[in-house]
Amino acid sequence: MSSILSVKNLSKTVMSNGEALKILTDCQFEINAGESVAIVGRSGSGKSTLLSLLAGLDVCQQGEIYLAERALHKLNEEERALLRGEKVGFVFQSFMLVQSLTALENVMLPLELSHQSHARQEAEKLLEAVGLADRGHHYPNQLSGGEQQRVAVARAFASRPAILFADEPTGNLDAENGKKVEDLLFELNQAQGTTLVLVTHDINLANRCQRQLTMHAGKLTEQAGQDEQVEQAGLHFA
Amino acid sequence: MNKRGYILLKSKLFHPDIRIALTLAMRLLRQELKRGELTIILAALILAVSSVFSLSLFSERLQGALQEKSGEFLAADTVLSASRPIDRKWIEKSETLGLKHSQQVRFSSMIFANNQMQLASLRAIDTAYPLKGEMAVSQVAWGVGEPTEASVEPGKIWLDSKLVSQLDLKVGDIIEVGSTQLEFEKIIASVPDTDLNVFNAGALALINLDDLEKTNVIQPGSRVGYQLNLTGESDALTEFEDWVMPLMNRDIHRLRSINTDSSRLLRAVKRAEKYFLLASLLGIVLASTAIAVAAARFCERHFDLVAILKTLGANQLQIRWVFVFQLGMISLAGIGTGLAIGYFAQIVIIQALQSYLPEMIPDAGIRPWWLAISTGLMSVLLFSVYPLLKLFSIPPLRVLHRQMQGLKNKDWLNWLFSASAIFGLMWLYSGSLKLSFALLVSAGLIILILLVIARSAIWGSRKAGANAGSAAKLALAGLYRRARENSVQLISFTVAIELLLIVLVLRNDLLAEWQSQLPEGTPNYFAVNVNQSEINKFTQAYQDIGIEIDDAYPVTRGRMVAVNGEYVRDDVSKEKAEEGDRDGPRSFGRELNLTAYPDLPQDNTLVEGNWWQADETAYQVSVEEGVANRMQLKIGDELTFNIAGSEFTAKISSIRTVVWESMKPNFFMIFNPVVLNDFPSTYITSFYVPQAVKPELHSVMNQFPSATLIDIDEIINQIRDITNQVSLAVEFILVLVVVAGSLVLIAQVQASLDERRQELVILRTLGAKSNLLRNSVSLEFMILGALAGLFAAFANEIALYILQTQVFNMPAKFHWQFWFIGPVTGALVIGALGLASCWKLIKINTQALIRALG
């Protein structure tokens, strides 16, 4: 399998109260196309920072990131945006739907931004796939949390991304809705061959992934045993 | 989307990114409009445009009407008078410029009828007279005048009531004027360009210009006045004035126009214009402030959207166009609606005020249109630049860290764009770079001072909060926590309240001053040339018909020749006397109308010195303040006068102010009675004659053939009409400014709601009861309102002092009541607005509140 994401010597330092604070230290790993990978770790361990760098949302200061064969660390903001539009999908804990657009329009959004034709038909199919065919004309505030996250999942897969980043995708949902969203992510991952990179506290979700990367004080360790993870990361069963 | 829009979208005219941005912008707008999120920005824009449009449309049309009315006092727009015949080339020039003209020749001559003769002020007029206003004629002498469009035809003569009475004439009688005979046709009740100088007034007779030569009255050396009256487009008039000025000889020619004439009426109109300008400027500043606040909020509410769009791969072009289209469409809708509302508002107002306004309201030009459109565009563009830059710079990372903002430490950019917008708007509207700059700098200074005071007050509130009850503690803590936002909000509230107070106070002061100038019972007749021996009989005769004459002044003409023994004739030129913006006495520099009186006349106020005892034997004189200032005269100075060859000296014992608009005899110099005892004099007085008594004047005046009665009813009515019209316009502007001010307050309160919503969620989650939340929210806004009201009263006092003394030439007053009204109204209004805006948030349950946070 070919590598879709490659990280070399990635470090990140921020200034806090005049002092340099190292958030990430020499992270190094590769993710193959079609893989599902969970990034786990305690709060404040640097998971979200890592995710933001991998997805090109933040600027890489030190180290190298190769995403879909592009040197992400060398791209400017506009180029990163283009790459995100073409290759990357996102699912966030707080859904991040556009409140002034209907569910259908939210799903159409990435397709239209990348000038894809038949955006409406594609979006309708995706909504059907996430079980919301009849809620397409509802606005986010007319949907439940679970439904909103399903719309977000449909939107994330709309442009058939090579890689999907999800930040605590079930964090704001109850167990039932969390399970539905989880299933959806893996079904679409399988169906479209999309690489899945999840940041999560949910051990069940992490266990469904093929690989787990554990963050601890800005450092990354891979494929630790499940018990060890629970002990190190303070994880709990959702 | 309609079919046309769809076709437009589908067309290949647009870059695909722009097409997508347009689609997205329209989708977003549709829902945001439904959810009321654009209400404030749209309302502010509509208000700014409609108020500028209706105001400028209304005031332009009203000013046109007022100028038309003012023109009636000259019977033209421009009058060129000369002591020699007016050059034919000048008349031809006016014709080539498309101006209408009318000529008249003024002279005094004896007229003969029924074997009697009388001195008359004759005017030879052409049939075009009057170019503005109208003549009125009456059926009987001293009767009520009725407007006439007829003109004096060759062979005819029109005479005023005095001549008709004195010569005992009836219509059809033959009148001899010089070597010609004319038929008496009509009794003149009034002419539009009545000579307001009552001392020069004589009995009026009108003949046709073609008959002038036949009279043979005008001989070399005759004292004759030639007049060319002009009317037409203002550009053409200005061109004529610019052309003729260099050709004029100051000793021979004089040019007057409705813009240069310094009559009391014009002063009222000019003052009203200044008020219009100032109030409109303040209204625009308020409305554009509301737009600024709303535009900033509009952009802030889209921070998440930009982060999402960037995350989903939208490029800068797409993002920029989404918001450019949205603001463009908002501007289009706001400006279009504003123009429509403004236009109809102006029509409704004019129709509602139809009975008070002149019959013909001229159409306004193109200026109100471009002014309103530019105001809308400039407000949206300049006030949106910084919020948009901030919006475009939102990092995509905000999707993970909601606290992330764009553009840091670039607040100066915001101030720069806002200041440019306000300066641009003021300049656009006032056309005065100096005024706009002065207002901007003073506003900047006031804001700086207020910022310091506001911060101190908010910090002070923290200490006060330590000992307060729970709701108060929460309110004061809230004030302190949002110190930066609250100080900006406090300044906005202060400025809004201050501007409202300024407009309100000026409106009250202006109206009060206008109303006090011409109260009911203001004298409507002047009697001049009443013989010294007949004054008691004259007073008695009027008393018999129920008219009380309180003050009759002896008048003797003389010159002031020296001050403290130094001859000053050259210093007291006519021009210098006129510099004082007076149209009252015009004889200064030649002969003065001197009077002597035992008491200080009504409406005169001593500003220095003491009034004399009636039996004082030392020669004393009281000088009008303006003259004293211009000639640097002071108490104790000795003034030497020459009356009919005899000189005497009097010491200045007092300096007094005079109300020139009082419609009573007023004098620059008043002596104590002993001074004029030895000089012959005639008397002048003024009194009020009710309409019903007017027919009896005929028989009274017949007993005093030498006296002249001057009817100034028409002038008083015209002044009253104009001040009424101006007052109504002032009220209209006040309403607009109040609405604009309220919108600023609402926009500011709305702007702070998002943050308050989050706080309320936390407090509700922690178990705070609705009562506590309601009280703390109300208290926080009430404290802000009270502080804003207090600061506004302070700033108002300073601004009003400057405006009243420097701009409106009115006496400055201390407005103590606003130190109370300001804070109380501020607390109540802003407290209520704050509570009303947060009401929904306080009422809904925590779960719904969390959900509303998105």
Side-chain angles (χ1 to χ4, degrees), chain B residues 95-131:
Chain B
E95 283 168 354
T96 57
L97 290 170
L99 297 170
K100 281 188 192 165
H101 64 80
S102 156
Q103 290 185 75
Q104 57 176 278
V105 180
R106 295 180 177 200
F107 57 98
S108 292
S109 177
M110 300 303 283
I111 61 169
F112 300 85
N114 294 336
N115 296 320
Q116 297 178 72
M117 61 178 182
Q118 271 298 329
L119 182 67
S121 291
L122 276 141
R123 289 194 205 176
I125 54 174
D126 57 18
T127 50
Y129 174 87
L131 295 173

Side-chain angles (χ1 to χ4, degrees), chain B residues 412-726:
Chain B
W412 61 271
L413 259 179
N414 194 18
W415 289 107
L416 180 75
F417 285 122
S418 304
S420 312
I422 291 189
F423 178 76
L425 287 171
M426 289 196 293
W427 189 17
L428 182 78
Y429 202 78
S430 69
S432 163
L433 204 63
K434 197 175 152 190
L435 174 74
S436 313
F437 191 69
L439 279 174
L440 186 76
V441 170
S442 3
L445 281 174
I446 289 177
I447 286 174
L448 204 68
I449 295 168
L450 286 176
L451 199 65
V452 174
I453 302 174
R455 281 291 179 98
S456 315
I458 288 169
W459 280 325
S461 70
R462 188 194 190 188
K463 283 192 176 177
N467 303 318
S470 54
K473 196 180 275 181
L474 214 54
L476 293 168
L479 269 180
Y480 180 73
R481 195 169 48 255
R482 286 185 292 273
R484 190 171 170 275
E485 295 79 3
N486 279 336
S487 29
V488 172
Q489 207 165 36
L490 187 54
I491 289 167
S492 299
F493 289 154
T494 302
V495 172
I497 297 173
E498 186 208 348
L499 298 188
L500 282 175
L501 287 181
I502 289 175
V503 174
L504 182 71
V505 172
L506 281 179
R507 167 246 181 216
N508 290 347
D509 288 358
L510 276 178
L511 294 194
E513 201 191 305
W514 286 334
Q515 277 156 10
S516 69
Q517 275 178 14
L518 294 171
E520 280 304 314
T522 297
N524 55 355
Y525 277 87
F526 271 94
V528 294
N529 295 332
V530 182
N531 281 341
Q532 202 165 11
S533 57
E534 291 178 329
I535 185 65
N536 292 334
K537 198 180 151 197
F538 184 88
T539 311
Q540 186 57 49
Y542 273 91
Q543 207 169 7
D544 291 346
I545 58 166
I547 291 162
E548 286 298 327
I549 295 179
D550 298 326
D551 304 320
Y553 298 86
V555 179
T556 303
R557 290 171 72 79
R559 288 172 186 277
M560 188 178 87
V561 290
V563 175
N564 296 326
E566 189 182 337
Y567 278 79
V568 292
R569 196 170 158 184
D570 291 339
D571 294 336
V572 197
S573 68
K574 182 168 177 281
E575 286 70 24
K576 290 219 169 194
E578 284 174 354
E579 274 172 15
D581 200 25
R582 304 267 180 255
D583 75 331
R586 291 198 182 278
S587 55
F588 218 73
R590 288 174 287 174
E591 280 192 313
L592 285 168
N593 291 292
L594 306 170
T595 192
Y597 207 66
D599 308 313
L600 180 68
Q602 278 183 357
D603 299 324
N604 282 213
T605 310
L606 279 190
V607 288
E608 230 182 304
N610 298 304
W611 198 256
W612 45 71
Q613 297 295 317
D615 53 358
E616 180 69 53
T617 52
Y619 280 19
Q620 294 181 34
V621 61
S622 175
V623 183
E624 189 266 338
E625 190 184 27
V627 169
N629 288 341
R630 279 197 300 280
M631 298 193 60
Q632 297 172 331
L633 301 176
K634 55 187 186 304
I635 301 283
D637 280 351
E638 291 189 338
L639 306 183
T640 305
F641 292 86
N642 183 322
I643 298 178
S646 6
E647 286 194 359
F648 63 89
T649 298
K651 193 178 270 190
I652 299 177
S653 61
S654 65
I655 291 173
R656 75 209 135 75
T657 58
V658 171
V659 180
W660 293 103
E661 289 84 0
S662 66
M663 298 293 172
K664 289 178 182 167
N666 283 310
F667 299 89
F668 286 131
M669 303 286 174
I670 302 178
F671 298 102
N672 55 330
V674 69
V675 180
L676 296 187
N677 275 350
D678 296 336
F679 295 102
S681 54
T682 59
Y683 276 76
I684 179 172
T685 185
S686 67
F687 42 85
Y688 174 67
V689 182
Q691 198 68 26
V693 185
K694 283 187 177 180
E696 294 180 49
L697 292 177
H698 176 61
S699 57
V700 174
M701 289 311 288
N702 271 345
Q703 301 168 43
F704 307 98
S706 65
T708 302
L709 197 60
I710 303 161
D711 183 352
I712 51 168
D713 237 355
E714 189 58 25
I715 296 165
I716 291 174
N717 286 339
Q718 281 180 318
I719 293 174
R720 280 213 180 104
D721 275 358
I722 287 180
T723 48
N724 281 342
Q725 289 157 20
V726 172

Side-chain angles (χ1 to χ4, degrees), chain B residues 242-271:
Chain B
D242 292 345
W243 178 83
V244 83
M245 292 273 242
L247 305 174
M248 283 167 45
N249 179 338
R250 281 178 175 275
D251 295 330
I252 297 170
H253 302 106
R254 188 175 170 216
L255 193 67
R256 284 183 299 153
S257 74
I258 46 177
N259 293 321
T260 57
D261 197 42
S262 59
S263 70
R264 54 175 69 87
L265 182 73
L266 253 291
R267 283 205 299 279
V269 173
K270 294 267 179 222
R271 198 177 274 181

Side-chain angles (χ1 to χ4, degrees), chain A residues 48-49 51-52 56-58 77-78 81-82 84-85 90 92 94 96-102 105 108-110 112-115 120 139-144 148 155 167, chain B residues 15-17 20 23-24 27-28 30-32 34-35 37 302 304-305 307-318 392 394-402 851 854:
Chain A
S48 295
T49 306
L51 182 82
S52 64
L57 295 175
D58 199 2
E77 195 183 327
E78 199 68 357
L82 188 67
R84 282 196 301 268
F90 290 94
F92 303 101
S94 52
M96 294 310 268
L97 295 177
V98 179
Q99 298 295 314
S100 301
L101 298 180
T102 61
E105 287 164 347
M108 285 162 64
L109 195 55
E112 289 180 327
L113 289 173
S114 54
H115 311 300
R120 180 172 291 270
Y139 287 93
N141 62 358
Q142 297 168 321
L143 301 172
S144 70
Q148 288 190 54
R155 182 180 69 183
D167 180 35
Chain B
H15 185 281
D17 283 341
I20 285 156
T23 315
L24 189 54
R27 278 184 199 149
L28 292 167
R30 183 191 56 203
Q31 182 59 11
E32 285 175 3
K34 270 191 205 164
R35 293 209 316 225
E37 285 179 13
H302 289 92
D304 281 350
L305 173 65
I308 294 170
L309 289 174
K310 284 187 174 178
T311 304
L312 295 179
N315 59 42
Q316 282 293 343
L317 186 72
Q318 289 171 331
F392 297 153
I394 288 293
L397 196 52
R398 189 182 160 91
V399 290
L400 293 174
H401 303 286
R402 302 287 287 275
R851 206 157 157 189

